[in-house]
Amino acid sequence: MQVIFAKRARTFDGWTENVRITCVGGKITNLEAATTAQPSDILVDTLLPSLSNLHSHSFQRAMAGMTEVRAAGKDSFWTWRDLMYRFMEHVTPEQYQAIAALTFMEMQEAGYAAVGEFHYVHNQHGGQKYDNQIELSERVFAAAHHTGIGLTHLPVLYSYGGAGKAELAGGQMRFGNTVDSFCTLVANARTRAADTLPSDACVGIAPHSLRATSPEDLRQVLTIADSNPIHIHISEQPKEVTDIQAWLGARPVEWLLQNAPVSDQWCLIHATHMTSQETQDMARSGAIAGLCPITEANLGDGPFNGVEYLAHGGAFGLGSDSNVRISLTEELRTLEYSQRLRDLGRNVIIPSEGSVGDALYMGAAVGGARAMRRNSGRIEVGALADLVAIDSTAPAMFALRDDQILDGLCFAADDTIVTDLWSAGRHQVKDRKHIHRDAIIATYKTAITDLLASI
Ligand SMILES: [Zn+2]
């Protein structure tokens, strides 16, 4: 048991002062307001429900800063894709684990308690299976175990190289599975996760995209989802929209909503290029929009249709996707700024009036938790203790009233205001540092030095 005493906390009903929160077995079991601290309490300044990072490809963190080069005569996506495939050809399971551990640690230090790892590297170089089919999933589990982050593992079905069942080629061979081999992989990953990870972990499924699967494969694979999350990339780039239209006769979101039982069990990653009708239909479906504003800006994808989506009650959460930069505060403000730049207006991502920071943060907390099938996103008895403490005395924050704190977090602060983080009660960030920080960084640096030497 541990008890946290916070000067203030953003509970589900609003701000509460002088709060004692008791956590047992990873959950909040008692919450007492307007009280005083006891000697053994962990003292924090301001306590928030922490967010789930609903979309990550952790290995891509190792490429950050290496792809911002313009190559003569090549398309804008080329430098990124080329390096990603070269990394893919050489990365070993040990290096994969080291990268994932660093990435998860950085997420926790930024204020995320959990991660949705959209995991598509399954095979050896050239496409040969590992002797242990879930070798790389186990590496992700080991990184999650070491860092203590809450894991929603999302093995990816990636069967084709492009729309219309194009064959896999080159670096894509490490991703490939048939539906049958994929179903075995998911079953094995679930057994292994249950044996080795805490009970807040789960294993969902992720058909990679409409272009990397087929309508028949998608139908079949949905039968093994059970009650676990279903994530899919959709409508990220205009070319994907025209390719799917040419192949299936409808735009990607339009096709998916008409041909799959999309509900709040689903998370549609990106959903960047949607018509007004698609936006409204997706909002009404209950699916969560998995928005990755920093990556979408970095890759030049475009802004999400946020205003119309929220006006129709759409749910959303945040993901760091390529992990080119892991920053919760920056992810939040990039989402809002993408809308302001397009609409030439201010204070946009909010369905009615009030604090934009509060709407952004609490919207992402609730939507992210739902996308991860995680009983979190709120400070309430019975919920998981996914909690983050921030320092409201920092220069960027100290002059703000309670009702301005989340505006300060979203627009004025950086992630150094995070002092503590709990993932399902696991107190992994203390005094602004992950408890295994030094060891994780040392292992990472060795792994990347070796990887770059092998490319
Ligand atoms: Zn992605």
Side-chain angles (χ1 to χ4, degrees):
M1 183 182 91
Q2 57 190 323
V3 182
I4 305 163
F5 181 86
K7 271 202 311 203
R8 70 174 74 72
R10 177 61 169 89
T11 61
F12 205 55
D13 301 325
W15 288 102
T16 310
E17 308 272 322
N18 298 317
V19 191
R20 283 189 90 225
I21 294 168
T22 307
C23 307
V24 179
K27 290 187 176 166
I28 298 170
T29 55
N30 192 42
L31 200 154
E32 205 181 337
T35 185
T36 50
Q38 302 300 309
S40 61
D41 291 358
I42 300 165
L43 305 179
V44 300
D45 180 85
T46 299
L47 198 68
L48 307 171
S50 60
L51 265 59
S52 293
N53 181 344
L54 58 69
H55 188 69
S56 157
H57 312 287
S58 60
F59 75 89
Q60 293 178 11
R61 177 66 181 146
M63 298 160 43
M66 296 181 186
T67 62
E68 312 302 328
V69 179
R70 187 165 184 146
K74 302 289 184 183
D75 69 64
S76 58
F77 203 59
W78 183 83
T79 51
W80 185 88
R81 187 184 52 196
D82 176 63
L83 187 70
M84 197 264 275
Y85 286 165
R86 279 196 287 140
F87 259 65
M88 276 304 83
E89 284 178 24
H90 294 89
V91 70
T92 67
E94 294 76 17
Q95 291 161 353
Y96 202 90
Q97 180 177 331
I99 300 167
L102 179 94
T103 308
F104 295 166
M105 179 198 82
E106 290 186 328
M107 288 174 184
Q108 290 172 300
E109 289 186 344
Y112 293 111
V115 60
E117 180 63 18
F118 199 102
H119 173 74
Y120 60 85
V121 187
H122 302 298
N123 306 327
Q124 300 185 55
H125 174 52
Q128 194 188 339
K129 303 276 184 233
Y130 284 101
D131 291 342
N132 170 13
Q133 188 197 14
I134 57 166
E135 171 74 42
L136 293 178
S137 284
E138 289 189 1
R139 298 295 179 160
V140 174
F141 294 174
H145 193 266
H146 189 205
T147 57
I149 202 165
L151 180 67
T152 292
H153 190 56
L154 298 157
V156 172
L157 175 65
Y158 196 119
S159 303
Y160 303 105
K165 301 189 184 182
E167 299 235 327
L168 295 177
Q172 296 170 333
M173 303 303 289
R174 290 197 78 169
F175 313 156
N177 268 298
T178 62
V179 170
D180 284 348
S181 66
F182 178 75
C183 291
T184 308
L185 186 152
V186 170
N188 289 338
R190 285 187 177 146
T191 303
R192 188 77 180 144
D195 289 346
T196 59
L197 291 175
S199 60
D200 57 293
C202 80
V203 178
I205 60 166
H208 177 273
S209 55
L210 295 182
R211 67 191 151 83
T213 55
S214 69
E216 311 85 71
D217 288 359
L218 184 61
R219 249 190 305 280
Q220 276 189 56
V221 86
L222 291 179
T223 60
I224 63 162
D226 299 328
S227 60
N228 296 296
I230 304 163
H231 288 216
I232 185 169
H233 287 130
I234 201 143
S235 274
E236 181 177 6
Q237 298 237 336
K239 183 175 184 309
E240 177 191 342
V241 176
T242 51
D243 285 356
I244 295 297
Q245 253 179 328
W247 178 36
L248 299 176
R251 298 168 58 86
V253 173
E254 177 188 15
W255 188 92
L256 189 74
L257 292 173
Q258 288 172 357
N259 290 278
V262 177
S263 67
D264 68 359
Q265 190 178 355
W266 288 66
C267 182
L268 275 50
I269 308 298
H270 304 304
T272 308
H273 300 283
M274 293 195 290
T275 62
S276 178
Q277 191 63 52
E278 286 178 300
T279 305
Q280 295 178 31
D281 290 347
M282 181 179 158
R284 278 192 286 264
S285 75
I288 294 94
L291 307 178
C292 309
I294 293 175
T295 297
E296 287 155 7
N298 182 267
L299 295 179
D301 291 342
F304 179 67
N305 191 8
V307 180
E308 189 168 16
Y309 184 72
L310 286 185
H312 289 84
F316 71 96
L318 291 173
S320 59
D321 196 3
S322 71
N323 296 309
V324 62
R325 171 133 172 80
I326 296 171
S327 167
L328 177 58
T329 53
E330 198 167 310
E331 207 75 74
L332 288 158
R333 73 179 70 107
T334 304
L335 172 57
E336 170 68 18
Y337 288 163
S338 70
Q339 310 291 302
R340 294 187 187 187
L341 285 164
R342 180 195 55 208
D343 297 349
L344 310 180
R346 300 190 71 247
N347 301 333
V348 180
I349 290 277
I350 181 165
S352 54
E353 52 196 32
S355 158
V356 175
D358 197 82
L360 271 171
Y361 191 92
M362 297 306 289
V366 172
R370 201 194 302 165
M372 306 271 283
R373 277 295 196 251
R374 200 165 168 83
N375 181 19
S376 64
R378 63 199 194 284
I379 297 180
E380 194 175 78
V381 171
L384 282 178
D386 278 4
L387 302 167
V388 60
I390 62 169
D391 176 12
S392 74
T393 67
M397 305 283 289
F398 83 97
L400 302 177
R401 301 186 309 263
D402 283 4
D403 62 350
Q404 295 172 321
I405 283 178
L406 290 174
D407 293 326
L409 176 85
C410 290
F411 298 105
D414 63 30
D415 299 330
T416 58
I417 63 164
V418 171
T419 61
D420 294 79
L421 180 115
W422 290 261
S423 294
R426 299 179 291 275
H427 192 180
Q428 301 301 120
V429 175
K430 298 179 180 176
D431 199 16
R432 300 173 205 257
K433 282 185 182 164
H434 194 281
I435 56 174
H436 300 309
R437 172 175 243 275
D438 294 344
I440 288 170
I441 290 176
T443 306
Y444 173 79
K445 285 186 172 174
T446 304
I448 297 307
T449 304
D450 293 347
L451 174 58
L452 290 174
S454 69
I455 289 178

